[in-house]
Amino acid sequence: LEKRGLSNYALGRHDEAIKDFDKILAINSQNSYIFGVRGGTKFSKGRLNEAISDFIEALRLNPNNEFAKAQLA
């Protein structure tokens, strides 16, 4: 699912990517990386408040998540 989600994102299929990331997080809600990339995908769609929430959760789970830190800077 992770590779498919990342591929969907790269191909501009952001809605499909978000669905893939949602499925991953339903299985493992402690995955900081996926919260970060889902946040980035939501940001690309203009869903800013949701993106910020995902970045914050990514950092809560892993304070060293550099991608999430950069997105909130």
Side-chain angles (χ1 to χ4, degrees):
L1 278 174
E2 181 179 326
K3 286 182 182 180
R4 186 174 74 189
L6 294 171
S7 293
N8 279 330
Y9 176 79
L11 293 169
R13 297 190 298 238
H14 296 155
D15 291 327
E16 291 86 355
I18 290 169
K19 288 177 188 175
D20 291 334
F21 300 143
D22 288 346
K23 289 176 186 174
I24 294 168
L25 291 170
I27 296 167
N28 178 8
S29 63
Q30 303 299 304
N31 191 323
S32 174
Y33 173 73
I34 295 298
F35 270 106
V37 295
R38 186 178 74 173
T41 306
K42 288 179 177 180
F43 183 84
S44 296
K45 299 239 348 126
R47 295 164 56 180
L48 304 183
N49 289 335
E50 293 176 52
I52 290 168
S53 293
D54 278 355
F55 296 140
I56 290 170
E57 183 63 12
L59 287 173
R60 185 188 72 75
L61 293 168
N62 177 7
N64 297 316
N65 184 318
E66 295 299 324
F67 177 74
K69 281 184 193 178
Q71 298 308 307
L72 290 173

